[in-house]
Amino acid sequence: MDVSARAIEILMVEDNPGDVRLTREALKGGKVWTQVNVVEDGVAALDYLYRRPPYEAAHRPDLILLDLNLPRMDGREVLARVKSDPSLKLIPVVVLTTSQAEEDVLRAYHLSANCYVTKPVDLHQFNHIVQSIEQFWLTVVTLPPT
């Protein structure tokens, strides 16, 4: 299906409801029609991606926004599993996290993250970052076919 004829499917893996709300608001004001689906931990992220209950009807995401510090299974493990699975590895993964630790940045890229973005504390900056992600990943980049 032509990606321009449908909403861009985004899977947001984030346990902070405030960050989810801010991300949704920033994307609402954007130029691209998006469908943001949210899961709160790494186990649920993999259940969603593999369409295990309760996500049997889930759509394959065009883009994953992944926090690193998650309950049950952290984002590093989710990233490793996504990028090691031939059926999932082409989905772009944007790590969107509060961690500025050099070891987290290096590990994310070693695990084949497509980019690493540190969440700013300032609300205006957070909005700008999310809109920049949207601008680049959803209007400039050609996403792989689903």
Side-chain angles (χ1 to χ4, degrees), residues 90-103:
L90 293 181
I91 301 171
V93 178
V94 174
V95 173
L96 183 59
T97 188
T98 56
S99 174
Q100 296 179 354
E102 185 176 309
E103 65 223 35

Side-chain angles (χ1 to χ4, degrees), residues 120-133:
V121 176
D122 177 75
L123 296 179
H124 177 72
Q125 281 293 84
F126 188 93
N127 191 50
H128 177 73
I129 290 291
V130 172
Q131 289 176 342
S132 296
I133 291 169

Side-chain angles (χ1 to χ4, degrees), residues 1 3 11 21 33 39 51 54 69 92 95 101 118 120 124 137 139:
M1 174 182 247
V3 83
L11 175 60
R21 182 180 51 78
W33 180 25
V39 295
R51 296 181 178 143
N69 302 310
V95 173
T118 303
H124 177 72
W137 285 101
T139 64

Side-chain angles (χ1 to χ4, degrees), residues 29-133:
K31 298 174 182 162
V32 178
W33 180 25
T34 58
Q35 173 63 45
V36 180
N37 299 291
V38 179
V39 295
E40 297 178 355
D41 63 63
V43 172
L46 293 179
D47 288 344
Y48 184 97
L49 290 166
Y50 289 113
R51 296 181 178 143
R52 295 188 290 238
Y55 304 105
E56 298 93 338
H59 294 280
R60 177 185 171 92
D62 297 298
L63 180 69
I64 299 171
L65 299 178
L66 179 65
D67 189 16
L68 292 183
N69 302 310
L70 298 165
R72 298 192 341 162
M73 177 189 296
D74 78 4
R76 296 159 196 84
E77 180 65 22
V78 173
L79 179 60
R81 292 195 189 188
V82 167
K83 292 302 184 176
S84 67
D85 184 324
S87 70
L88 300 175
K89 71 180 181 180
L90 293 181
I91 301 171
V93 178
V94 174
V95 173
L96 183 59
T97 188
T98 56
S99 174
Q100 296 179 354
E102 185 176 309
E103 65 223 35
D104 284 337
V105 175
L106 288 171
R107 184 163 178 212
Y109 282 114
H110 280 292
L111 293 171
S112 300
N114 295 89
C115 71
Y116 191 103
V117 180
T118 303
K119 293 179 198 171
V121 176
D122 177 75
L123 296 179
H124 177 72
Q125 281 293 84
F126 188 93
N127 191 50
H128 177 73
I129 290 291
V130 172
Q131 289 176 342
S132 296
I133 291 169

